[in-house]
Amino acid sequence: MNWNQLISKRRLGQEHTHPERHDDRTEFKRDYDRLIFSAPFRRLQNKTQVFPLPGSVFVHNRLTHSLEVASVGMSLGNDVYRELCVKNPDFIGSKVSEIGQIVSTACLAHDMGNPPFGHSGEKAIQTFFTEGKGAYLREKVSPSFWDDITHFEGNANAFRLLTHQFHGRRPGGFVMTYSTLASIVKYPFSSSMAGEKGKFGFFGSEADTFAHIADEMGIICKVPREKYVRHPLVYLVEAADDICYEIMDLEDAHKLKILSFEETCQLMLAFFDEKTQASIRQRVEDEQLTDPNEQIQYFRACVIGKLENECMRTFLAHEEEILAGEFEGSLIGHISPLQRDAYRHCAEVSKERIYMSQPVLDVELSGYRIMATLMELMVEAIEHPERYYSRQLIGRVSSQYDIESPHLETRLMAVIDYISGMTDVYALDVYQKICGISLPIV
């Protein structure tokens, strides 16, 4: 693969038109602005990241997380471009200079396909078909569609959200550039190749779209329409996400008193050698940062800066492998041993102490029940649209979703589109209303 082909300004759905431009923004900056002002991006403010949505203590939601990932992604992309120019001066001032903007934009979009209540929402959709009342549908749909819905994945849903032509929308969905779209596909293969982890990058309904984009940019194809290698910028998007969620979860856990101040300090300072640790502590003392939260924020900034630099260096060291489609794993998995071991230890602590904490488990349990109930009632409604209650439920669904299609697979996907697009708060509200728990007049 080569950089000049991988950076493409072509827009999905506008390949043969050239809209008149009235400002100096680049095409990739237009992608960024388009996402920032979009309704699906705004809805991320009411979607769970890890901890319950804010009470007295403000913790991260999907929106704040995405903005932070985009910030780190911009730095990663710009630093990589600067170093690429040292190796290849022809890149100076070329479209390769847009790497930082492309990565930052893809970072904004990387969680847009996530359903309410995080991973428990994904699991509720999957298990409705594998363990719940939707299991009978296996005999009514194609094997490829069954793979899609039983492995439902927020990553694949993000690509669908950005590219699918919903009712009343223009061809090409959000009409994004090819490079931005390819940079969000972390798992560039179909659900039939999801494997044990159940991860994949595009539904069957968008397979041709991804194949077209990938082929146009010269992304290496392993199996036609089924499996490709990653666009190189995916590694930077993934690294920005890995850095932010792991380190910011520690900070949130400290605020919520799940981790003590000393535990959090030890986890964050472990990314540095003893000399650097002493220097960081001295700076905290010199700047008179006596507030524990301020100290943790300072340590967090130091860690993110270090990990960003490590991932940038790793990307450059493996550039040839990445362009050849031969690089295995993530950038964070190939950084220097000290930082890699510290990151892995943080991941272990997060799994044991944070993701299994009572506030997190409470959200997952409640969210799973809400999502499972919504799936059950909505699927029953599209299976029996002639019933009175079914008509009432279908009437709640936005006209952009093809929920009255004559094709069962299209109707099922419309239900998933509708439910996965909800915020946590809206999903709870709909659940309470249709279950008779809440009435507008009470």
Side-chain angles (χ1 to χ4, degrees):
M1 297 182 285
N2 72 83
W3 283 113
N4 285 319
Q5 192 175 1
L6 289 165
I7 309 301
S8 173
K9 298 179 181 179
R10 298 193 76 186
R11 290 191 173 277
L12 184 67
Q14 288 187 348
E15 288 86 350
H16 305 295
T17 60
H18 302 278
E20 184 181 354
R21 303 304 189 193
H22 301 285
D23 55 49
D24 295 328
R25 289 179 300 162
T26 67
E27 293 303 314
F28 305 114
K29 181 61 166 66
R30 291 176 190 279
D31 282 351
Y32 183 92
D33 294 345
R34 191 166 292 179
L35 290 181
I36 282 285
F37 286 93
S38 70
F41 184 72
R42 287 196 300 275
R43 286 198 290 268
L44 294 177
Q45 69 182 309
N46 257 325
K47 288 196 176 187
T48 300
Q49 174 66 16
V50 173
F51 298 104
L53 293 175
S56 59
V57 178
F58 189 86
V59 292
H60 287 80
N61 54 43
R62 290 282 176 186
L63 182 71
T64 52
H65 167 70
S66 297
L67 290 169
E68 289 168 350
V69 176
S71 177
V72 173
M74 178 70 81
S75 297
L76 264 173
N78 287 341
D79 288 349
V80 164
Y81 166 67
R82 186 185 66 249
E83 295 298 323
L84 286 176
C85 288
V86 174
K87 295 169 62 176
N88 189 341
D90 290 343
F91 286 164
I92 297 174
S94 72
K95 60 184 179 180
V96 181
S97 67
E98 295 288 342
I99 284 177
Q101 183 66 74
I102 297 168
V103 172
S104 185
T105 303
C107 289
L108 282 185
H110 83 284
D111 271 352
M112 283 176 64
N114 282 45
F117 308 109
H119 295 302
S120 63
E122 283 182 328
K123 189 58 68 176
I125 293 173
Q126 296 166 8
T127 56
F128 169 75
F129 298 106
T130 58
E131 301 174 8
K133 294 187 176 180
Y136 75 96
L137 292 164
R138 183 170 191 165
E139 306 303 321
K140 295 189 173 188
V141 300
S142 66
S144 61
F145 184 79
W146 186 251
D147 277 341
D148 283 350
I149 58 178
T150 55
H151 293 94
F152 174 83
E153 232 282 318
N155 292 277
N157 202 42
F159 187 75
R160 174 177 172 81
L161 181 66
L162 294 177
T163 61
H164 184 70
Q165 185 180 5
F166 293 97
H167 277 179
R169 306 296 177 86
R170 54 186 171 178
F174 274 59
V175 193
M176 308 290 279
T177 61
Y178 285 9
S179 291
T180 296
L181 290 171
S183 296
I184 72 165
V185 183
K186 188 175 177 180
Y187 310 101
F189 42 82
S190 67
S191 58
S192 64
M193 297 185 175
E196 291 183 4
K197 291 186 177 181
K199 301 290 187 181
F200 67 103
F202 47 84
F203 296 115
S205 51
E206 285 72 54
D208 286 339
T209 298
F210 182 79
H212 170 73
I213 291 170
D215 293 343
E216 283 288 318
M217 290 191 294
I219 297 176
I220 297 168
C221 178
K222 295 287 187 75
V223 181
R225 283 189 86 255
E226 292 284 336
K227 187 173 185 178
Y228 288 76
V229 304
R230 285 177 166 187
H231 189 292
L233 298 187
V234 171
Y235 288 101
L236 300 181
V237 175
E238 178 184 47
D241 186 31
D242 287 344
I243 292 168
C244 287
Y245 81 74
E246 190 58 66
I247 305 308
M248 300 312 300
D249 286 354
L250 296 180
E251 184 177 338
D252 282 348
H254 171 256
K255 288 182 180 178
L256 293 170
K257 296 181 171 32
I258 293 172
L259 294 177
S260 70
F261 173 74
E262 194 54 45
E263 285 174 318
T264 311
C265 288
Q266 290 175 0
L267 288 169
M268 291 189 174
L269 289 174
F271 285 88
F272 307 96
D273 58 36
E274 290 185 8
K275 182 179 178 181
T276 307
Q277 287 185 30
S279 175
I280 290 172
R281 287 188 182 276
Q282 186 61 50
R283 275 179 276 165
V284 167
E285 187 176 328
D286 291 344
E287 296 184 23
Q288 299 180 348
L289 292 177
T290 57
D291 182 88
N293 287 327
E294 286 294 315
Q295 291 185 33
I296 294 299
Q297 288 173 27
Y298 185 79
F299 296 153
R300 174 257 295 161
C302 293
V303 175
I304 288 178
K306 182 62 177 177
L307 288 176
E308 187 272 335
N309 186 263
E310 283 286 323
C311 288
M312 181 266 290
R313 296 295 175 194
T314 301
F315 183 91
L316 293 166
H318 295 276
E319 182 197 0
E320 290 185 8
E321 293 170 66
I322 290 170
L323 289 173
E326 297 171 354
F327 184 74
E328 296 289 338
S330 63
L331 296 181
I332 207 84
H334 290 77
I335 59 178
S336 301
L338 176 63
Q339 285 75 38
R340 186 176 67 240
D341 291 345
Y343 186 91
R344 288 174 177 171
H345 182 54
C346 287
E348 291 169 1
V349 171
S350 294
K351 184 176 180 180
E352 295 173 5
R353 298 281 302 282
I354 299 175
Y355 307 139
M356 296 301 291
S357 64
Q358 184 173 336
V360 174
L361 292 178
D362 286 347
V363 168
E364 291 193 353
L365 289 169
S366 300
Y368 184 93
R369 175 56 56 196
I370 292 168
M371 293 290 287
T373 302
L374 294 179
M375 285 294 299
E376 178 182 334
L377 293 175
M378 290 304 305
V379 169
E380 184 179 356
I382 63 162
E383 275 280 79
H384 304 284
E386 73 284 355
R387 296 176 180 172
Y388 172 77
Y389 190 60
S390 297
R391 299 308 308 167
Q392 300 297 98
L393 287 176
I394 291 171
R396 292 188 61 93
V397 180
S398 168
S399 61
Q400 68 178 300
Y401 303 120
D402 196 4
I403 201 158
E404 300 195 62
S405 167
H407 305 292
L408 174 60
E409 290 185 4
T410 303
R411 297 199 305 276
L412 285 171
M413 206 64 216
V415 168
I416 293 173
D417 288 333
Y418 170 57
I419 294 175
S420 66
M422 293 178 177
T423 65
D424 294 15
V425 173
Y426 183 68
L428 173 61
D429 181 58
V430 173
Y431 170 81
Q432 290 177 330
K433 284 186 170 68
I434 64 180
C435 291
I437 299 171
S438 169
L439 291 173
I441 58 173
V442 177

